[in-house]
Amino acid sequence: MSLVDSHGRKIDYVRLAVTDRCNLRCAYCMPSQGIDFVPRKDLLSYEEMLRMLKIFQTLGVKKLRITGGEPLVRKGLIDFLAKVNDQVFDGFHLTTNATLTEPHIPELLKAGLKSVNISIDTLNRQQFKEITRRDELEPVLRSIDQFYDNDIPIKLNMVVMKGINEDAILPMAHMAQHRAIGVRYLEEMPFNGTDEIKPGYFTYRDIEDILATQFPDLKKMAYERTSTSQNYKVKDWKGDLGIIASYSRTFCGTCNRLRITPTGQLNTCLYGGSVLDIRKLLRNGSSDKEIGQHIQTAVANKPKDGFEAERLRIDRITESMAAIGG
Ligand code: SAM
Ligand code: SF4
Ligand code: SF4
């Protein structure tokens, strides 16, 4: 069985947000007081998540990313991941702020960690504190070193914000100079837990211009199918640089992903909102086969791209990426 949408795209990648809670308060993601975190009873339990992932696996999903909120703040996460590794998928990928990972790296490796995407918007302690509203840069840097020493592929995600951290673009790039690390520059999106829409986001073109000015020998790499990143090489550097046009949405044609929120809502597009309440089905006695059929129908209707999804949604985008799963 497989999941194919009406635009012929094969969907084989699930991003599961295990919590909407987080120990940081990144300004582009949530307000300083946090968002209205969902009550615990509304979160999918680990048993429910395991059952749901098995259903996705029978539908042909091959790749799992664990995200949030901050995944590591949910208790029991690593035992759950070990079960997923034993019973469902061969390993998992993780998106994390890496403030809490350092003591858990051996367990994460044992539970099947295949790669890690780490959010880090600057290498300057004061600037990190201003952006995340927490003074936690040091453990993030230590975690990066340790993941690297354990041969875990690393991508560093930096949200580029006009007037806030442009000066961090160059120092971040140098993280890819001597080590095989991917530095990814992300366009800021309107998912910040408020209905405040800031004008003048930095687009991928602005970021590319800055990189091209800094690195005259910057070379565009071939575009990898289903990747959302346009990557670049600087001569003789071990790692690479990339730009993710999440706001300009230039990669929708090959999109192969689904998102599941911490409350079990299926989002077939980041910009679209929930299209299926999987939690309700898991709790109302539906069989795995019935749930699978609902998922197939929802996926068949996946919007062509993020613009269509945004047009079709009834409400305005006000949620936080922590509630959707970045
Ligand atoms: N807490 C983890 C982390 O920060 O990596 C996982 C969840 S976080 C929501 C996932 C990704 O979404 C991060 O790389 C973060 O930078 C990105 N993100 C959150 N809000 C965003 C926004 N408004 N625009 C662009 N990226 C955003
Ligand atoms: Fe937390 Fe990640 Fe959102 Fe930052 S981007 S507040 S680390 S969920
Ligand atoms: Fe896929 Fe929607 Fe993101 Fe486009 S905007 S890449 S369709 S999730």
Side-chain angles (χ1 to χ4, degrees), residues 105-118:
I105 291 178
E107 299 160 84
L108 284 166
L109 294 178
K110 216 166 143 221
L113 177 67
K114 286 181 143 175
S115 77
V116 70
N117 287 6
I118 296 175

Side-chain angles (χ1 to χ4, degrees), residues 85-98:
N85 193 33
D86 284 347
Q87 300 176 29
V88 200
F89 293 111
D90 179 19
F92 65 93
H93 304 261
L94 178 69
T95 300
T96 175
N97 63 33

Side-chain angles (χ1 to χ4, degrees), residues 79-137:
D79 289 345
F80 163 68
L81 294 173
K83 279 190 193 144
V84 172
N85 193 33
D86 284 347
Q87 300 176 29
V88 200
F89 293 111
D90 179 19
F92 65 93
H93 304 261
L94 178 69
T95 300
T96 175
N97 63 33
T99 53
L100 305 169
T101 39
E102 192 187 8
H104 301 291
I105 291 178
E107 299 160 84
L108 284 166
L109 294 178
K110 216 166 143 221
L113 177 67
K114 286 181 143 175
S115 77
V116 70
N117 287 6
I118 296 175
S119 305
I120 174 167
D121 305 312
T122 174
L123 297 173
N124 175 289
R125 184 171 167 184
Q126 183 55 30
Q127 200 173 36
F128 184 95
K129 207 170 143 188
E130 280 159 21
I131 294 171
T132 66
R133 303 182 179 112
R134 302 287 186 270
D135 189 10
E136 295 285 349
L137 177 63

Side-chain angles (χ1 to χ4, degrees), residues 169 185 203-215 218 220 230-232 243:
I169 292 179
Y185 299 100
T203 71
Y204 68 96
R205 288 203 189 85
D206 301 321
I207 303 168
E208 191 181 55
D209 285 349
I210 295 173
L211 291 178
T213 310
Q214 300 287 353
F215 305 107
L218 192 74
K220 243 184 197 169
Q230 171 61 61
N231 296 340
Y232 305 80
I243 303 176

